[in-house]
Amino acid sequence: MSALFPTYARSDLAFARGEGAFLYTASGDRYLDFGSGVAVTALGHAHPHLVDALTSQARKLWHVSNLHRIPEQERLAERLCAASFADRVFFANSGAEAVECSIKAARRYHFKNGAPERYRLVTFEGAFHGRTLATIAAGGQAKHLEGFGPKVDGFDQVGVFDIEAVEAAIGEETAGILIEPILGEGGMREVSWRFLQDLRALADEKGILLLFDEVQTGMGRTGRLFAHEWAGMTPDIMAVAKGLGGGFPVGACLTTEVVGEAMTAGSHGSTFGGNPLAMAVGNAVLDVMLADGFLDRVAQMGLRLKQRLAALKDEHPDIIEEVRGQGLMLGLKCKVPNQKLLEALRAEKMLTVQAGDNVVRLLPPLIIGEAEIELAAAKLEAACAALAKVSAPA
Ligand code: PLP
């Protein structure tokens, strides 16, 4: 019996070390990691530049709290702003906290601008924004809300990516619209870039804010630093996390100047958020991701992997129904239960992640090359062949 909360459906695997796109068990079994700890280890395991940044910071200073200036934090904030629409950043420790801060910033912006009644956000069915009380309310999924008392007020869910439905959900109390540019946990459901542009126009027309949850889509995952760049538009507020720390816990809420300004002294805070260790790693992640050609290569590898997945779907139409996603954030909508494909892949020593809508997610580290893609394609083929054999009539 474990002393842990039974909150997770864990596999029996335990890993002793990792290197690049591979994880190794204590007995030396090697697994191809196309899950990246749910889109976190964006630069693979034990990336030398990240290891150096963390260990050299660990020898100098771990934590001082936000009662003092943290130069590494100021530097990372400036670099994130220079690389995005944002002017201000708040650092947190996780994706949920980054979204929570985004929700608070949207409410606070209207409060400071004489419209305190504007506190509600329009959100979307199938979304996932984290596990705090506010973020489960934003996600609106019954299985996440059950047993946790009254749902936090202030979220109006729309069932379809339809601009008229969004407009109908906007009222006098609406502060903004919150959406993931690609619904990750919800099954790698792509939102059209056109829809994001329409949301921007609608938010402007109504004088409300556009909030993006780029916790999963951000930090290079789609082949741009942030997924919304593909749509050629920007939000007012954006939550990021996961890849930002490459495996070190960190989250951030990025905003425009007017929104960030509303978060005055004492209005929000975090003891650990933005501590020197997290900031050293975050800066090291940016060194790699912002280097010439890195993101273009992610996009190229994404296309290559997607082509291989499309061929696999043609080969196994009884197992794979659809290939979804962008860059190295790809999903296989399954015809068999997704857990079956995930297990068949695990038997081939390849790790993936389940998602809603019967999807298996492929979230490899962004440093993969052709060799890892070929290896993944071979393992996918073997897993599908094994499943086809099981389900074939005798
Ligand atoms: N938002 C999105 C889009 C996510 O995918 C996740 C986690 O999977 C979160 C928020 C929550 O992040 P965390 O688990 O770090 O709190």
Side-chain angles (χ1 to χ4, degrees), residues 358-369:
N358 205 30
V359 165
V360 168
R361 274 181 284 182
L362 302 180
L363 298 160
L366 308 182
I367 45 101
I368 57 163

Side-chain angles (χ1 to χ4, degrees), residues 38-40 93-99 127-132 135 180-185 213-217 239 241-242 250-251 329 361:
V38 198
V40 168
N93 310 288
S94 67
E97 280 178 79
V99 178
F128 182 76
H129 298 296
R131 299 297 200 123
T132 63
T135 55
E180 298 158 78
I182 299 172
L183 275 66
E185 306 288 317
D213 178 346
E214 290 235 24
V215 166
Q216 193 163 149
T217 54
K242 292 195 185 273
V250 60
M329 182 172 176
R361 274 181 284 182

Side-chain angles (χ1 to χ4, degrees), residues 9 118 142 193:
R118 288 203 179 273
W193 303 145

Side-chain angles (χ1 to χ4, degrees), residues 220-223 293-303 327-328 366:
R221 183 53 54 195
T222 68
F294 181 87
L295 293 169
D296 287 342
R297 189 176 144 84
V298 172
Q300 274 165 25
M301 290 303 131
L303 275 179
L328 289 173
L366 308 182

Side-chain angles (χ1 to χ4, degrees), residues 106-267:
R107 292 182 177 193
R108 183 85 182 171
Y109 164 81
H110 288 290
F111 169 81
K112 283 300 237 180
N113 283 279
E117 72 283 3
R118 288 203 179 273
Y119 72 99
R120 307 188 71 80
L121 292 179
V122 176
T123 63
F124 293 84
E125 262 172 38
F128 182 76
H129 298 296
R131 299 297 200 123
T132 63
L133 288 171
T135 55
I136 55 174
Q141 297 195 38
K143 64 180 184 212
H144 297 153
L145 288 159
E146 188 187 52
F148 296 117
K151 184 175 151 189
V152 170
D153 181 35
F155 301 95
D156 300 305
Q157 275 209 318
V158 171
V160 280
F161 300 131
D162 173 68
I163 201 70
E164 276 157 29
V166 177
E167 186 162 8
I170 295 172
E172 308 263 286
E173 296 183 339
T174 305
I177 304 161
L178 168 64
I179 190 166
E180 298 158 78
I182 299 172
L183 275 66
E185 306 288 317
M188 305 305 237
R189 281 165 56 206
E190 290 169 74
V191 177
S192 76
W193 303 145
R194 175 65 204 271
F195 184 64
L196 296 183
Q197 291 160 4
D198 289 349
L199 288 179
R200 176 71 277 171
L202 184 61
D204 289 345
E205 184 195 318
K206 302 279 182 189
I208 61 172
L209 300 171
L210 184 58
L211 292 77
F212 283 161
D213 178 346
E214 290 235 24
V215 166
Q216 193 163 149
T217 54
M219 301 312 297
R221 183 53 54 195
T222 68
R224 293 271 192 273
L225 193 57
F226 302 110
H228 68 261
E229 293 172 28
W230 291 108
M233 42 71 71
T234 58
D236 302 291
I237 302 177
M238 174 172 70
V240 295
K242 292 195 185 273
L244 177 59
F248 197 93
V250 60
C253 171
L254 280 64
T255 72
T256 57
E257 182 64 30
V258 284
V259 175
E261 242 177 15
M263 298 297 277
T264 48
S267 64

Side-chain angles (χ1 to χ4, degrees), residues 9-11 332 334-347 352-355 357-361 387:
R10 300 174 195 270
S11 81
L332 297 172
C334 299
K335 284 226 178 116
V336 297
N338 57 358
Q339 178 70 21
K340 289 253 180 281
L341 179 58
L342 184 132
E343 281 167 11
L345 285 165
R346 201 185 290 149
T352 54
V353 186
Q354 254 177 317
D357 203 22
N358 205 30
V359 165
V360 168
R361 274 181 284 182
L387 285 177

